[in-house]
């Protein structure tokens, strides 16, 4: 299945590239708990530690791990036998954990779920648990920066309804005291394995979909496939750009290069959002530090990458993303504004990034959540995303009703249009 994270031409995240996050009311309280039950000898794949608590019941055993260091250690052990989206990978979650620590917002929690009969891993769920509006809410670990969320799926992940029910029961056993479970923006498949949480009957289509492009042979062949008009327009823009001065596509690799390019990306995005009258949030400390830290920390591993497109001495576009396996995931993109708009520098830097990565064997370009015209221009294919919102106590029931009402309206375009017209009149 094609995967589809992120951008409008001057895209602002989070959480859906150009959206503004809800008010951040979470305090992320987490308390480390000593182990109360040791795992038996069959649990080699899911070891216990001093910061975990194991609970057995039904077909699956669940171990709850508290603390960022302990969660990341468990994820590192699970990497070889689990599939996950890039936003549940070890380097991304490590950056999330550092962000939580910088902001004083607690630590990561995880549920490690195994087959009770043989200890084979079923799933590993990296989570945060927060107090939000007088409710205790569990979510997949995020700082409003991840386009996709979901579990790490192990080799014993269920593929039938009985297994899915058993897994859900294990999750609820591992989250005592939680009033609301919000598993949002989940792909239906993760690494080719069906996502059991997206298949539950309570799951509803998410507000956004993912979009991605796979290059079969060369970027030039892909451009030809988009039609003569599209290809000729891209070629014309490249020619006009070259007339403005020597054109350079650069990979920012040193700390100084990263700081310079990242500052330009932020300034261009901020200017764009102000020009169209939208609030810009990515220059707020928690977001600024998250992306800057990710770029600096992962510059040598190759996980995070930042590029610029220059004409003469001016940066006309910037692009940031992460690499995992054969996929580059676009996180943020910007351009030089109205002066350069006629040259579509955002499109040009994407094309140059595609050439860069195809030469290195990376052929899938994850454009992220959000259906923007430029993504369709590249022939991006959709990846449906799903939300699962479930009550853990009576306090969670009102949120369930609200979530279902929103999903009902969202899936009826005529009703959404009517509501939009009424709001416009107001």
């Amino acid at each position: 299945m094609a995967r589809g994270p992120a951008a409008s031409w001057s895209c602002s995240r989070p959480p859906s590239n150009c959206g503004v996050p809800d008010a951040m009311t979470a305090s992320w309280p987490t308390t480390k708990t000593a182990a109360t039950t040791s795992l038996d000898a069959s649990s080699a794949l899911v070891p216990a530690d001093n910061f975990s608590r194991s609970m057995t019941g039904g077909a699956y055993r669940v171990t709850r791990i508290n603390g960022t260091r302990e969660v990341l250690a468990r994820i590192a052990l699970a990497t070889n036998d689990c599939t996950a989206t890039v936003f549940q990978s070890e380097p991304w979650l490590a950056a999330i954990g550092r962000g939580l620590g910088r902001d004083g917002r607690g630590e990561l929690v995880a549920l490690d779920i195994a087959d009770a009969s043989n200890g084979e891993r079923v799933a590993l769920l990296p989570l945060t648990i927060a107090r939000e509006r007088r409710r205790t809410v569990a979510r997949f670990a995020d700082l409003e920066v991840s386009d996709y969320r979901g579990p790490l799926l192990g080799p014993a992940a269920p593929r039938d309804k009985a297994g899915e029910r058993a897994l859900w029961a294990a999750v609820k056993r591992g989250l005592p005291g939680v009033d609301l479970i919000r598993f949002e923006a989940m792909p239906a498949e993760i690494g080719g394995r069906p996502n059991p949480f997206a298949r539950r009957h309570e799951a509803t289509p998410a507000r956004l979909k993912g979009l991605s492009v796979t290059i079969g042979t060369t970027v030039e062949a892909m451009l030809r496939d988009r039609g003569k008009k599209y290809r000729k327009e891209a070629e014309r823009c490249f020619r006009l750009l070259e007339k403005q001065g020597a054109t350079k596509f650069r990979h920012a690799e040193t700390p100084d290069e990263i700081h310079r390019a990242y500052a330009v990306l932020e300034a261009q995005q901020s200017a764009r959002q102000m020009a169209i009258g939208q609030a810009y949030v990515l220059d707020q400390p928690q977001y600024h530090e998250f992306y800057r830290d990710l770029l600096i920390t992962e510059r040598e591993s190759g996980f995070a990458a930042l590029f610029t497109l220059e004409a003469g001495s001016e940066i006309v576009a910037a692009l940031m993303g992460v690499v995992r396996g054969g996929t580059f995931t676009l996180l943020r993109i910007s351009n030089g504004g109205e002066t350069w708009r006629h040259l579509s520098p955002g499109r040009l830097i994407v094309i140059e990034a595609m050439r860069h990565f195809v030469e290195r064997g990376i052929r899938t370009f994850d454009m992220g959540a959000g259906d923007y015209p430029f993504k369709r221009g590249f022939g991006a294919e959709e990846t449906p995303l799903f939300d699962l919102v479930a009550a853990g106590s009576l306090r969670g029931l009102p949120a369930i009703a609200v979530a279902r009402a929103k999903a009902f309206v969202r899936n009826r375009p005529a009703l959404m249009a009517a509501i939009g017209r009424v709001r416009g009149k107001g």
Side-chain angles (χ1 to χ4, degrees):
M1 182 186 72
R3 282 193 63 249
S8 70
W9 286 136
S10 183
C11 171
S12 290
R13 301 161 72 95
S16 57
N17 306 327
C18 293
V20 179
D22 296 332
M24 303 185 71
T25 57
S27 57
W28 308 111
T30 303
T31 303
K32 290 183 178 180
T33 306
T36 58
T37 306
S38 297
L39 300 183
D40 56 41
S42 67
S43 63
L45 294 177
V46 189
D49 57 42
N50 291 332
F51 303 102
S52 68
R53 181 173 58 190
S54 181
M55 292 149 276
T56 303
Y60 298 142
R61 180 182 65 249
V62 56
T63 301
R64 176 163 160 171
I65 303 102
N66 297 305
T68 296
R69 181 182 300 177
E70 292 73 27
V71 169
L72 293 177
R74 189 65 62 100
I75 288 171
L77 291 173
T79 298
N80 290 336
D81 67 357
C82 286
T83 61
T85 83
V86 69
F87 299 108
Q88 285 73 51
S89 64
E90 184 181 1
W92 186 266
L93 288 173
I96 295 287
R98 292 192 297 271
L100 290 172
R102 277 193 306 272
D103 301 339
R105 293 162 62 188
E107 300 193 26
L108 296 174
V109 175
L111 299 182
D112 201 349
I113 301 170
D115 188 310
S117 66
N118 59 23
E120 193 173 23
R121 178 168 279 113
V122 174
L124 180 58
L125 284 66
L127 306 171
T128 51
I129 299 176
R131 288 292 296 176
E132 302 177 22
R133 299 179 181 176
R134 300 183 182 180
R135 290 189 292 258
T136 300
V137 182
R139 301 174 182 267
F140 285 115
D142 189 20
L143 289 174
E144 303 279 1
V145 291
S146 304
D147 274 17
Y148 313 130
R149 303 169 187 107
L152 289 83
L153 294 176
R159 294 176 178 266
D160 57 26
K161 293 298 182 183
E164 291 166 6
R165 288 192 295 270
L167 175 59
W168 186 242
V171 168
K172 299 194 79 170
R173 283 200 310 277
L175 296 173
V178 167
D179 301 311
L180 187 66
I181 299 171
R182 300 195 75 111
F183 290 172
E184 297 171 312
M186 299 184 294
E189 292 185 2
I190 298 174
R193 298 177 184 175
N195 178 1
F197 300 113
R199 288 159 55 97
R200 286 193 60 79
H201 68 276
E202 307 103 313
T204 59
R207 182 171 63 89
L208 301 175
K209 298 177 181 179
L211 288 162
S212 66
V213 177
T214 298
I215 310 297
T217 54
T218 66
V219 175
E220 283 62 37
M222 181 273 293
L223 292 174
R224 286 195 297 271
D225 289 343
R226 300 313 303 150
K228 183 177 180 180
K229 181 179 179 181
Y230 189 89
R231 176 176 58 83
K232 289 289 187 182
E233 178 63 16
E235 291 172 350
R236 183 187 70 85
C237 289
F238 272 117
R239 287 195 301 271
L240 292 176
L241 184 65
E242 289 170 356
K243 291 181 180 180
Q244 305 301 315
T247 302
K248 306 180 196 70
F249 175 73
R250 294 185 184 272
H251 182 192
E253 298 180 277
T254 69
D256 286 345
E257 290 170 346
I258 290 170
H259 288 309
R260 173 178 176 262
Y262 183 58
V264 172
L265 183 148
E266 283 202 311
Q268 289 180 347
Q269 286 194 321
S270 178
R272 169 61 177 165
Q273 294 305 106
M274 291 177 63
I276 61 177
Q278 291 187 4
Y280 182 68
V281 299
L282 295 185
D283 58 354
Q284 294 178 7
Q286 64 268 35
Y287 304 120
H288 169 85
E289 287 299 323
F290 173 83
Y291 289 111
R292 187 195 63 80
D293 168 70
L294 180 70
L295 286 165
I296 294 296
T297 302
E298 299 296 338
R299 69 184 187 279
E300 294 183 358
S301 71
F303 177 74
L306 176 62
F307 301 97
T308 57
L309 182 62
E310 302 177 15
S313 61
E314 185 169 352
I315 293 177
V316 300
L319 178 152
M320 175 187 176
V322 289
V323 180
R324 187 165 182 261
T327 299
F328 172 76
T329 299
L330 180 61
L331 299 178
R332 298 175 65 175
I333 186 170
S334 68
N335 65 54
E338 196 63 31
T339 302
W340 300 96
R341 182 179 178 183
H342 65 292
L343 301 181
S344 301
R347 175 169 57 185
L348 300 186
I349 196 171
V350 171
I351 292 172
E352 291 288 9
M354 287 179 169
R355 288 171 175 153
H356 172 87
F357 283 113
V358 166
E359 289 176 358
R360 290 157 178 79
I362 296 168
R363 297 184 173 275
T364 298
F365 294 81
D366 188 336
M367 298 288 194
D371 193 355
Y372 300 101
F374 93 93
K375 299 180 184 181
R376 296 291 183 182
F378 282 103
E381 297 181 1
E382 289 186 357
T383 297
L385 301 174
F386 297 88
D387 296 339
L388 174 59
V389 184
S393 75
L394 292 176
R395 288 192 184 94
L397 292 177
I400 303 300
V402 171
R404 290 179 179 173
K406 288 182 177 179
F408 178 86
V409 173
R410 190 162 56 238
N411 294 323
R412 289 159 178 80
L415 181 56
M416 282 193 70
I419 292 173
R421 288 193 295 271
V422 170
R423 286 178 174 174
K425 291 179 181 178

